[in-house]
Amino acid sequence: MKDLLNAAEMKAVDQRSIEEYGIPSLVLMERAALEVVKRARELLEPGLSGNEALEHGPGRERLLKERKRKTVWAVCGFGNNGADGAAAARMSRFTAAARTRPCFSSVILLPSLEGKRSRELEVQLSIAEKLGIPILTLGDPLPEACDLILDAVFGIGLSRPVEGVYKELIGLMEEKRQRELVPVAAVDMPSGISSDTGAVMGCAVKADVTVTFGMRKVGQALFPGREYCGRLFVEDVGFVPGDPEQAGEHVHAHGPEDLMEIPRRRADSHKGTYGKILVIAGAKNMAGAAYFS
């Protein structure tokens, strides 16, 4: 079985890694952004594995010159999830595969220029600004080109229904996804989905890929959140594991490896070899569970 964490449990793992063990928050953030960019590149260039196709082989320079430059929108909130997205926007533009010229054009889209930003977001925006990456808001003219959206608005921190400018941001991402078929890569959690229950908190982004960090979240296993995540990748970014004594307190999920725990049946056995089970199930006009049993 594997543990599923809710938002509070995951934040505790994060804080434990940073405060008790001294792992810098920005180090964890850079590693998280790298994993997001890796999966984002797979969406933009199907068939490529990381930078492999560009870093090796005689056709590398020709590929770089001939391929159309693609535009990535990093739609970011004011918290550390937004900082992950801003870091990923920078890395998607400046990668090892872009030594000849940037592979992608990237922009960072914020709810507004005003608002309480996390310290890490301020750092990432400062880096992006120095590198000439546009930092825009909904009130600015947005580029027409959009080949991929990085959804980094809320992450696992959402606890109330989406409203106001955040609802507009989610509406913009969904419009791009539905009308223009722009793929969406969600950072940690599709925005608008509760990481505790999987519920849609008013409105939500439907991702093609979700890259989550450390451990899978409860809301990524329960519907409708599971569907909104698209293909889910759980990546290790260097968190210190939680206290083993607390593992029993988490929600658990079975995986294919748990099937190996079921004893194998003997080839010469029959239905009477392994005992009998009494099933108490069903009620008047509600016999489906009894039949299935």
Side-chain angles (χ1 to χ4, degrees):
M1 290 190 296
K2 293 183 177 179
D3 294 343
L4 302 178
L5 271 59
N6 59 33
E9 291 167 335
M10 191 62 234
K11 287 177 182 176
V13 171
D14 193 14
Q15 289 177 344
R16 186 168 183 255
S17 301
I18 295 167
E19 296 173 6
E20 292 185 30
Y21 291 90
I23 301 174
S25 175
L26 286 169
V27 170
L28 297 171
M29 186 168 288
E30 292 291 298
R31 291 191 61 178
L34 279 170
E35 296 297 338
V36 170
V37 171
K38 179 172 72 174
R39 300 305 176 184
R41 286 178 58 79
E42 291 171 1
L43 280 175
L44 281 172
E45 299 180 324
L48 290 187
S49 175
N51 298 332
E52 189 175 307
L54 293 174
E55 290 183 336
H56 304 285
R60 178 182 180 279
E61 298 297 329
R62 178 180 56 79
L63 281 171
L64 280 170
K65 290 178 181 177
E66 291 181 359
R67 92 177 156 199
K68 179 186 175 184
R69 191 175 179 186
K70 298 180 179 179
T71 301
V72 176
W73 287 20
V75 185
C76 303
F78 288 144
N80 282 355
N81 190 253
D84 289 338
R90 180 236 311 162
M91 291 177 186
S92 66
R93 185 172 181 181
F94 298 97
T95 64
R99 282 189 286 265
T100 302
R101 66 181 177 90
C103 300
F104 308 119
S105 171
S106 56
V107 299
I108 296 171
L109 180 59
L110 297 175
S112 66
L113 291 178
E114 304 297 326
K116 187 178 179 181
R117 304 173 182 176
S118 71
R119 181 183 65 86
E120 288 82 356
L121 177 61
E122 292 283 12
V123 170
Q124 296 294 352
L125 291 179
S126 175
I127 297 171
E129 200 169 16
K130 291 172 184 175
L131 291 170
I133 297 173
I135 301 172
L136 308 174
T137 70
L138 281 174
D140 297 318
L142 301 178
E144 291 185 11
C146 180
D147 298 290
L148 174 74
I149 292 172
L150 300 178
D151 166 26
V153 178
F154 290 123
I156 65 171
L158 184 64
S159 59
R160 60 177 183 265
V162 179
E163 56 187 22
V165 68
Y166 295 103
K167 190 173 183 179
E168 292 183 49
L169 280 177
I170 288 178
L172 175 63
M173 288 190 280
E174 272 295 286
E175 182 179 9
K176 289 285 183 184
R177 185 187 70 82
Q178 293 184 33
R179 293 189 180 181
E180 301 178 27
L181 303 180
V182 176
V184 176
V187 181
D188 215 9
M189 198 80 194
S191 291
I193 297 294
S194 167
S195 59
D196 291 349
T197 67
V200 176
M201 306 295 279
C203 61
V205 179
K206 207 165 192 177
D208 296 274
V209 162
T210 298
V211 184
T212 197
F213 314 115
M215 303 179 78
R216 193 177 177 193
K217 315 307 182 293
V218 177
Q220 294 165 344
L222 300 177
F223 285 94
R226 181 174 176 178
E227 181 182 5
Y228 273 74
C229 286
R231 191 176 178 192
L232 180 67
F233 296 93
V234 182
E235 304 293 355
D236 177 14
V237 297
F239 291 120
V240 176
D243 188 343
E245 294 183 0
Q246 295 178 339
E249 302 173 7
H250 301 314
V251 175
H252 304 288
H254 288 288
E257 67 280 0
D258 294 304
L259 297 177
M260 303 304 295
E261 300 296 323
I262 300 175
R264 298 187 65 180
R265 298 175 70 91
R266 299 200 319 266
D268 61 346
S269 64
H270 56 81
K271 65 182 180 181
T273 304
Y274 299 98
K276 298 177 175 62
I277 295 176
L278 170 65
V279 177
I280 302 176
K284 185 177 180 180
N285 299 324
M286 301 178 69
Y291 282 130
F292 287 144
S293 298

